[in-house]
Amino acid sequence: MNDSHSAERTIGLASAVFILVGYTIGASIFILPGQLAAEAGPGAFVSYLIAGAIAAIAGVVGAAIGSAIPVSGSLNVASSQVLAPVVGFMGVWATLVAVAVAISLVSYGLADYLAYFVPGIDRFSVAVVAALGFGLLNLTTIQMAVRLQVAMTVAFLVILFGFGVGGVVHADPALLTPLMPNGFGPVLAAAVPAFFSYAGMTVITEIGGEIKRPGRTVPLALLISFVIVALCYSLVAFAVPALLPWQSLAGVDAPVASAARVFLPAWTGGAIAIGAIFAAATSINAMLLIHSRDVLAMARARAFPAVLGRRNARAVPVGAVALVTGLGVLGTLLGATIREYAVLAVISVMLLQVFSGLVVLRLPRALPEESKRAEFRLGRVGRALFGGLTIASSIVFMVLGVIDSPRHGIAYLVVLALGIAYYYYRRAALARQGHDLDRTLRSGLSAER
């Protein structure tokens, strides 16, 4: 498929790392550690380590898929070709559910820290304005969005690492005993919402068509980004309950800023708040940047209406950006807590990880040529180990998430059922027009962004 507006490969390794780190580290790390420590005790950092281990395994699987199929939306393309076209479509559907929830969570987090400077602001209004504002930014060129992403990411990384290292140095050992006052159960349960903070680790594969040398760059970007993110999270999650009594954290809206005041001057609360705002902003920006390309791909394959596949004169997918922005705004109407938003988003991400595990298990047999050309690939044992662990751990986390929030779990299943029904309705409608949707998705045309 030739298109004068097809995306060029303009994103190098450094930009890919900044996009991925900026996407992954959002406002949740400034809020969730306090809430999770209030449930699990000082050992909440163990919850982040468990979540990080699951994310690392999923990252290896994502790198193998992204290297073998170095196009935008590689997981969805691979799912269509290796598993079934409906699975590739449902990957996009589930992603959009997760993104709608995640944009809402992060936008509310941004509002909470903006209230540090403007007390009494309306959280809902700020969340809506944040989503709309970054939607407008993403109607400019991708280079403009990436430059802003780099600047904001550097700013909040300096702040977070400064707090994390300083917090460890000034930790009060007495506050860390006992490490798990309520036992290991709450620590394991807290790993589910904690995973939300890692949930974006493999999304760099979604813009593989715009990355230079994706077969090499995607795995390297995942490795570098994971090290940065895991170190940052571990430091922050350890420092918060090491500076403030874990029993007091349930009612603290800005735990990182509050903990920083234990060993830093009072004015640093403002710096922490700025860091949280930047972190939230980069996540919203990256979600709109990356997942509008998922919508575009499915629109070009005709799974979604054609209007969502149109680009403007600057090759920006206007309809797709508008849809993802609108979903983010719609998600704010749920009125859920930060923790509930996190659990619901994690359930969606775990479904995608099940798909990725199944894909990597069958990849060499289903796509032998692509597998041979991959610069990063797993052997038979590696595929069985990482693919199997990804599937098993994701199912466990999905079950834990549904147990944690049954109402949202049931609602999520209903939304998935609607997605399947829509796909088969759309396929039948297109068949009457002489278009084979299954064949289109199997051919990988959805990858042409």
Side-chain angles (χ1 to χ4, degrees), residues 261-276:
R261 289 196 288 269
V262 172
F263 69 98
L264 292 171
W267 63 265
T268 57
I272 297 293
I274 291 173

Side-chain angles (χ1 to χ4, degrees), residues 26-44:
S28 65
I29 192 58
F30 290 86
I31 300 170
L32 276 177
Q35 294 186 9
L36 300 186
E39 301 171 12

